[in-house]
Amino acid sequence: MTDADHADQELLVDSVPVARYVLAPDLDVTHGPRPYLHPVRTLAGTPVSDALPADHVWHLGASLAVQDVNGTNLWGGRTYVRDVGYTWRPDHGRIVHTGWEHLSTDRLDHRLHWCDPTGAVLLTERRILTASAAPELGDAWRLDIDSALTAPADRDVVLGSPATNGRPGGAGYGGFFWRAVAAEPPEVFTDSLTGEEAVNGCDAPWVALHGRAPQGGAYTLIFTGLGPGDRWFVRTTMYPGVCVAFAFDHTATIPAATTRSAHYRVVIADGWLPPTRSPCDPHPASCVDHGVVVPESRRKVVFVTHHNCMIAEAGAGAGGGGLAGA
């Protein structure tokens, strides 16, 4: 492949740059080199991601990263060792881009290898990133990521985390991870839970994070994408982050010659969207809020995923528009 094949790519929504995809970062191996999205911005330009922060320099915007993949650290930083704690070990691998399937300003489709420290391939991946407008929300857009991780034909691949390796305290991170940026600890909530302690480790269909960037702009991020056995890992006090955790309290195995497929969606909105959850079929008119129908004139459908949707009454927020201004 040429250098151009490894060049950073920009995702655009209606000609507005919203995210840069860093394809082949030139980083020390202890940072867990991998493709990542940063900076990610709202349509108004407010930054909502962070990369290489001083507190955890291996946090790289929005990326897929796992600390234990058959014993290889593909997260970065020290490895948690049972009965020992965090330890620097020569166990860091890389996630590398191997070729494009499709390349455009709103859709990136490529192939990757998850490699151990020797360069041997642990997993192959097909990943598709799509950026699209969310006109029903006003100042918002959607990021969709489809990932298919395939194990080799001759062996299973076990995914683990510090928690599965003995660390207490709900440190089951590793999976699709978003390192956010905020001037002060953000708010995190689901349909029924509020705060880091309550949300961390839950299996709610969605998680929302509301923060304010250091430059002052308010934003809301809404995450979906838990698969079977996944849990949400969240942090707000130590740092702002949300993760679809593959091995929160139990290891996850990709059997030989099989594929783990997942779809993650993040809604990136300016201002504050206070959502509620409602079971519904794919038709917005059938949405109800805990058994009470929300009149169509008073609701705004945020998104539909499987058989769940998120709604916000049109009167919620400043100006009656559902999304408060920055």
Side-chain angles (χ1 to χ4, degrees), residues 300-323:
K300 180 176 288 186
V301 176
V302 177
F303 58 82
V304 176
T305 172
H306 302 295
H307 296 291
N308 296 292
C309 73
M310 290 183 60
I311 60 175
E313 292 193 23
L323 275 171

Side-chain angles (χ1 to χ4, degrees), residues 80 162-163 166-173 196-197 200-201 233-235 238 248:
Y80 193 87
R167 181 183 167 183
Y173 56 79
E196 175 184 322
E197 185 174 347
N200 189 54
F233 169 83
V234 302
R235 288 289 185 262
M238 181 183 298
F248 187 84

Side-chain angles (χ1 to χ4, degrees), residues 77-203:
R78 295 175 298 167
T79 299
Y80 193 87
V81 179
R82 187 179 300 276
D83 299 325
V84 176
Y86 280 108
T87 305
W88 285 110
R89 303 178 67 187
D91 61 354
H92 294 88
R94 298 175 182 268
I95 301 176
V96 297
H97 163 78
T98 61
W100 289 108
E101 296 291 337
H102 177 85
L103 182 60
S104 62
T105 58
D106 63 353
R107 185 169 177 267
L108 306 174
D109 180 347
H110 67 132
R111 290 171 277 111
L112 306 97
H113 284 169
W114 292 39
C115 301
D116 72 9
T118 71
V121 177
L122 297 164
L123 292 165
T124 59
E125 183 186 3
R126 176 79 176 272
R127 185 183 302 178
I128 304 172
L129 303 91
T130 306
S132 59
E136 70 277 15
L137 292 179
D139 296 330
W141 64 280
R142 295 185 184 90
L143 172 68
D144 288 282
I145 299 178
D146 292 278
S147 172
L149 291 168
T150 300
D154 60 346
R155 63 185 180 276
D156 298 347
V157 176
V158 180
L159 309 178
S161 68
T164 65
N165 287 323
R167 181 183 167 183
Y173 56 79
F176 171 56
F177 176 66
W178 190 294
R179 173 62 192 251
V181 62
E184 62 274 326
E187 301 174 37
V188 65
F189 52 94
T190 73
D191 59 324
S192 59
L193 303 170
T194 301
E196 175 184 322
E197 185 174 347
V199 175
N200 189 54
C202 79
D203 62 353

Side-chain angles (χ1 to χ4, degrees), residues 191-229:
D191 59 324
S192 59
L193 303 170
T194 301
E196 175 184 322
E197 185 174 347
V199 175
N200 189 54
C202 79
D203 62 353
W206 56 264
V207 164
L209 184 143
H210 171 57
R212 187 173 298 277
Q215 296 86 344
Y219 65 84
T220 301
L221 305 175
I222 305 168
F223 299 85
T224 62
L226 289 189

